[in-house]
Amino acid sequence: MADIVLLALKVLLVFFIVYSLIKFMFFFFAKYDTRRKLLDSSYNGKTSATKVQDIFLLVMILILTGLLFVSGATEYINFITGLLVGMILIQTYFHSFSKPLTPEESPEAPISPIKMMSYAIEANPEKAWKQLVIMTILFIWALYMLLTQGFGLFG
């Protein structure tokens, strides 16, 4: 049972890491106009564009955490360190976007704090380059470890 649970966890982790790496690359390879149009259509006069996605991600966090604990692969010090590193990376990532937006970059009303943050990130994703580099390096390492140690590939 623990082997099946661990395999499911590894597969889900690979999926999320690949998704995260693709999302990071989108910031740097898609032009601002393209990103802005997608953002405008996502908000479409609303103050939030991610309510359904947020519920899905919270459920996935519970599933991933549950699989981790059920698999017996939890090393408490690694888990705590990863939790704190992730939380601090996200906090400092958001703090990178403290410069006010120009009128052209600003969202249309209604404006909520998260909507303003979303538009600030889309306007200047490079402001969080340090956090993005750290996250990318950690994701690439994690994907490498999952593929080589977790699935026994390439080695």
Side-chain angles (χ1 to χ4, degrees), residues 5-154:
V5 170
L6 190 56
L7 177 63
L9 177 60
K10 290 175 187 177
V11 169
L12 287 173
L13 290 172
V14 167
F15 169 76
F16 275 103
I17 290 168
V18 170
Y19 169 76
S20 297
L21 288 169
I22 291 169
K23 192 172 180 179
F24 287 157
M25 296 303 154
F26 181 75
F27 276 135
F28 296 102
F29 294 116
K31 293 182 180 180
Y32 173 68
D33 293 340
T34 301
R35 294 192 323 267
R36 176 62 189 251
K37 285 178 188 173
L38 289 170
L39 192 59
D40 289 342
S41 69
S42 293
Y43 277 96
N44 195 23
K46 301 177 288 188
T47 58
S48 176
T50 61
K51 286 183 182 179
V52 172
Q53 180 185 17
D54 288 347
I55 291 168
F56 172 76
L57 290 173
L58 286 171
V59 169
M60 289 309 299
I61 285 171
L62 293 173
I63 290 170
L64 291 171
T65 305
L67 290 172
L68 177 64
F69 286 110
V70 170
S71 74
T74 308
E75 181 65 37
Y76 79 92
I77 199 74
N78 294 343
F79 184 82
I80 294 167
T81 302
L83 179 65
L84 289 173
V85 166
M87 291 170 67
I88 292 167
L89 269 172
I90 293 304
Q91 179 182 358
T92 60
Y93 175 86
F94 284 131
H95 290 174
S96 300
F97 301 97
S98 59
K99 180 183 168 209
L101 294 173
T102 65
E104 300 81 38
E105 295 169 329
S106 295
E108 294 182 16
I111 299 174
S112 64
I114 193 65
K115 186 174 183 179
M116 184 62 78
M117 179 62 74
S118 295
Y119 278 74
I121 292 168
E122 289 298 334
N124 299 293
E126 70 282 355
K127 288 189 176 284
W129 71 269
K130 296 178 290 290
Q131 292 83 358
L132 289 171
V133 166
I134 292 169
M135 283 187 254
T136 301
I137 290 168
L138 291 173
F139 278 139
I140 290 171
W141 173 81
L143 186 58
Y144 171 79
M145 293 303 291
L146 279 166
L147 294 177
T148 58
Q149 303 295 314
F151 292 105
L153 302 174
F154 312 116

